Amino acid sequence: MNQYRKLGDLLVEQGLITNLQLSVALSAQQSTNRRLGEILIERGYATEEQISACLAEQYGYPHWQPEVQRPEPAALDQISSNIALSYCVLPLRIVDDAFECALADPIDVITTDLLSQLVRRRLILYIAPQGRLTKAIRSAYRLEEGPVVEPMGEAAFVPERFINPKPRRRLGIATLMDAYDRELDRKVTLQCVSAGSVEEWEQFQLVRACARTQNKSICTVYDWLEANDHRWSVLEPMEGETLEQVLRTRGARTIAQAAEIVAQIADGVEALNQNGGRCGLVCPSNIFIRWNGPMLAPIANPPANYGCPEVFSESNSPASADVFALGTLLWECATGENPHATGENGVWWGDANKAVANMPDAFRKVVAGCLESDPTKRFSSPFHLANTLRSYNWAALSHADEAKRFDKPGDRDHLLELLEGGEADRPSLWRRLFSRKRAA
């Protein structure tokens, strides 16, 4: 029987890290309660591939071989792309009663329990480095990566305080990159613009909006500093994907999902309104969808079709303008399209009372309450909107709205006739209501 060996000891034995580096990482693990492998990678002591190889040896799981074990469509159909990306799991294939998949962390109980519940099969696990696995997941589900900045010259000017910068892409007016703050011992996301540029002033306005308050739905701003002729905003780690990318690659959200996303963002916007005026950040490109809820971040200036009709008038108020933007977001989440049109001559705002297919009446009323042309007729605040969205059971309303097509007097009369007529007549009711024959 093989003797259990600790990850740190394996890395030291193989000469990948020193005893001193292991001691530093173990001390950080005790104070942060995070995994040792994650700390070693962040500090640059070891690579993802080295950690993955040692985990495979430590727990006895085989390595995933991408050139041999390619994802099969039947396995991919069992796990949605959202779950695959959120939990970093790549479905591979189904063999009899077993489900094969690749994971970055095979001892993550939450992930393995979720997979077992979804696939209802015995799991066969393989280990793979997280970076390679994420790329493979995007490729398998045909998800877009987003425009990458080339060349990523800003990474060469990162202040010495931040190590292991990993450029992601250009979002909005700034270059976005992940890094590790070795002075405060934590992961951060950096945004970089050239000092003295117009982009610096624009980025400062966005960052200052988020820096007004602390809220779980608002990105935390750690610092705003200048170094190496660049201006850096230091933010909490931005995990997940932007809502813009989710809508573009996976389509509109359900009514219930759209309501919950907007309600949580509205909570954050209300906190910002209470601490300094208009938020002015609401749009899909500024919202990151994370495993623990959406987060509004200072990425880009919202497009013109997220502004309100009175934006240039003296009657424009912070709360009513943000409510209008939240209503636009609610519409776009539920339909995948912005209700307002833009052109060379400006913005044509959509009709607040326009009926949208497959929307419950209550949902349309909430949207109309946000998009009224008269600011005094909108929801009084983002807080009011959030409470209204949470006062409905949207999943039940969606099903009830769908059922209205069959709730006609003729259907009720026919139902009574069938109940009086006996069991033999009931299949015709099934055909009448659902337009299909009952399965034999």
Side-chain angles (χ1 to χ4, degrees):
M1 182 162 129
N2 294 332
Q3 183 179 3
Y4 176 82
R5 304 168 72 187
K6 294 181 179 180
L7 174 62
D9 295 337
L10 286 170
L11 290 168
V12 171
E13 181 181 317
Q14 295 180 15
L16 299 175
I17 64 173
T18 65
N19 283 311
L20 178 59
Q21 290 173 330
L22 176 60
S23 298
V24 171
L26 289 173
S27 298
Q29 184 186 33
Q30 292 177 358
S31 60
T32 60
N33 217 14
R34 293 158 60 212
R35 290 188 177 91
L36 179 63
E38 182 181 352
I39 295 173
L40 291 169
I41 293 171
E42 285 179 355
R43 290 177 174 270
Y45 296 160
T47 64
E48 286 186 348
E49 288 74 15
Q50 291 169 341
I51 296 294
S52 177
C54 285
L55 283 174
E57 182 176 346
Q58 182 184 19
Y59 296 108
Y61 288 102
H63 260 299
W64 172 54
Q65 300 177 339
E67 65 280 357
V68 177
Q69 299 165 301
R70 297 181 178 178
E72 297 181 355
L76 294 172
D77 290 341
Q78 296 292 310
I79 304 295
S80 70
S81 58
N82 283 328
I83 292 178
L85 276 176
S86 299
Y87 292 89
C88 201
V89 53
L90 176 65
L92 295 176
R93 63 173 184 160
I94 300 173
V95 182
D96 298 330
D97 65 336
F99 183 82
E100 296 185 1
C101 57
L103 297 172
D105 185 0
I107 60 169
D108 186 342
V109 177
I110 295 177
T111 299
T112 53
D113 283 354
L114 175 64
L115 290 175
S116 298
Q117 294 174 9
L118 291 175
V119 303
R120 303 286 183 179
R121 288 180 171 86
R122 177 173 56 89
L123 298 181
I124 298 178
L125 305 179
Y126 295 87
I127 292 183
Q130 185 169 355
R132 183 193 306 170
L133 200 55
T134 301
K135 291 181 181 179
I137 293 170
R138 290 187 175 280
S139 175
Y141 286 96
R142 298 180 180 179
L143 303 178
E144 297 179 12
E145 285 281 357
V148 177
V149 182
E150 292 184 358
M152 302 297 291
E154 291 88 344
F157 301 100
V158 174
E160 295 181 358
R161 166 181 168 183
F162 305 101
I163 60 175
N164 298 332
K166 296 180 180 178
R168 293 165 66 172
R169 63 188 70 126
R170 182 176 293 278
L171 294 177
I173 58 178
T175 299
L176 196 70
M177 63 184 75
D178 297 318
Y180 186 79
D181 185 346
R182 59 182 176 184
E183 289 186 10
L184 297 180
D185 193 27
R186 62 185 177 188
K187 290 195 296 184
V188 297
T189 293
L190 301 176
Q191 281 184 304
C192 171
V193 294
S194 298
S197 63
V198 175
E199 288 78 10
E200 178 188 354
W201 182 86
E202 293 179 357
Q203 186 65 36
F204 177 69
Q205 301 305 314
L206 296 171
V207 170
R208 186 171 61 175
C210 277
R212 294 190 186 114
T213 189
Q214 294 287 325
N215 186 280
K216 72 179 186 68
S217 297
I218 301 296
C219 178
T220 302
V221 177
Y222 294 147
D223 206 349
W224 171 259
L225 54 92
E226 184 176 357
N228 302 327
D229 297 324
H230 286 71
R231 181 66 73 169
W232 304 86
S233 47
V234 186
L235 312 171
E236 72 169 282
M238 293 184 189
E239 300 174 340
E241 297 177 282
T242 63
L243 179 58
E244 179 185 35
Q245 187 172 10
V246 170
L247 295 175
R248 185 175 68 250
T249 59
R250 274 157 278 176
R253 305 291 86 189
T254 66
I255 296 294
Q257 288 174 335
E260 184 57 30
I261 289 172
V262 175
Q264 292 192 44
I265 294 299
D267 286 338
V269 172
E270 175 68 21
L272 291 176
N273 287 166
Q274 296 297 325
N275 289 275
R278 181 184 176 188
C279 164
L281 288 170
V282 175
C283 67
S285 59
N286 283 343
I287 297 172
F288 280 79
I289 302 300
R290 308 171 297 171
W291 66 271
N292 58 345
M295 178 182 73
L296 188 62
I299 301 297
N301 288 309
N305 54 15
Y306 267 82
C308 53
E310 74 281 6
V311 67
F312 298 112
S313 70
E314 295 180 358
S315 62
N316 181 29
S317 68
S320 65
D322 283 329
V323 166
F324 188 92
L326 289 166
T328 304
L329 178 69
L330 186 62
W331 184 304
E332 188 164 354
C333 283
T335 66
E337 298 179 355
N338 191 292
H340 316 301
T342 58
E344 294 181 358
N345 298 323
V347 180
W348 291 268
W349 283 277
D351 183 0
N353 297 307
K354 179 181 177 182
V356 179
N358 301 323
M359 271 193 182
D361 292 338
F363 191 83
R364 285 199 291 269
K365 290 179 180 178
V366 173
V367 174
C370 297
L371 300 183
E372 286 284 354
S373 57
D374 184 353
T376 62
K377 295 181 180 180
R378 296 177 196 152
F379 286 100
S380 59
S381 66
F383 176 77
H384 185 194
L385 171 61
N387 281 350
T388 303
L389 287 170
R390 293 192 173 107
S391 66
Y392 291 94
N393 183 341
W394 294 113
L397 281 176
S398 298
H399 291 305
D401 191 68
E402 180 70 15
K404 286 182 181 178
R405 292 183 300 157
F406 311 110
D407 190 19
K408 300 176 182 178
D411 289 333
R412 289 195 294 271
D413 294 341
H414 188 66
L415 174 61
L416 292 175
E417 293 175 3
L418 289 171
L419 291 175
E420 294 174 356
E423 182 72 23
D425 295 325
R426 291 187 185 180
S428 62
L429 171 65
W430 189 273
R431 290 193 298 271
R432 182 180 178 83
L433 296 183
F434 299 101
S435 302
R436 66 180 185 184
K437 295 182 179 180
R438 177 184 289 179

